[in-house]
Amino acid sequence: MKVCLSALLICLLSTMGMVSCTDDDEPKDKVMEVTVLVSENTDIMYPPLFDENKQHPTECMLIKEEGVDGIWRTMDFAAIEGFTYEKGHRYKLRARKTVLANPPADGSAWKYELIEVVEDKEITGPELPVEDTVKSEADIVYEELCPIEKYSVSSPQFIDGSGKIYNSTGGERPSYKNCRIYLDNTLDPTAPDWVKFSSTTYMARYAYVFSPLSEQIRLVVASGGGPMLKYIVTEEDFRHVTLTLKKGERLTYVLVLANAYKKGIQRLELTVERI
């Protein structure tokens, strides 16, 4: 009887030891704090699972971890949880990096979570010098196959006497300094040149601005979903809208969207109405 009990006890201890070893051997996520540098420049990447022929380029940001190998790597704009990237800005971030023990087959082997924005420096200013050859809208050189009907302005802008901004449905928009004019991509996916027109060559990076209140031609940054309202409507223009225009009067700004080479892509109009 004692022999049987001893054998049973040894068996139980062995089993517990095996379970303990199994638990210890189970791979675990590795979490660390890292410093991430984010470039003011962007690049393109291709979806790894369904774009083996690299026909669908997607714009992305460039990052590298400080003190690792000094290599810039492509990363989706939304890949760092809690971080919002703005083109033309150079960032230094503190982030929590998790190296996944069991990464998904269709995803990355690690993930990042923002802890703190240590540095945010605007490298590309909102306004750039216009070449001497561009003295009117007719002087803008267009990219091959352009102008194209690719973008549309999401909504006219309605501004009251106190400077509050509204969209066409009456919804209040961010303040003048934070309001962005979003460009909706209306390109038909069934169009024969859809792939070509989706490349970075045909992405709006800049916009030539023609104001009804000035003869000056301005070239402004239009990336990040579209140009900021303050890049299009100067502070002086904005004061004119709020203080001088009567209710129902409007101004129409002409925007010639341009690619990274400052070649024209498409002509749009933005209407600003006093309410």
Side-chain angles (χ1 to χ4, degrees), residues 37-91:
L37 305 178
V38 185
S39 174
E40 69 275 16
N41 299 311
T42 59
D43 204 333
I44 58 171
M45 59 190 299
Y46 298 88
L49 295 182
F50 62 86
D51 196 17
E52 295 180 355
N53 296 325
K54 295 185 175 181
Q55 295 181 325
H56 304 286
T58 302
E59 191 175 13
C60 64
M61 59 185 178
L62 288 166
I63 72 125
K64 66 178 177 181
E65 288 185 27
E66 193 173 68
V68 181
D69 54 14
I71 298 175
W72 290 101
R73 292 181 170 84
T74 57
M75 178 178 283
D76 186 86
F77 287 129
I80 302 177
E81 184 180 345
F83 171 63
T84 300
Y85 176 74
E86 186 171 351
K87 298 176 189 177
H89 286 237
R90 181 186 298 163
Y91 298 92

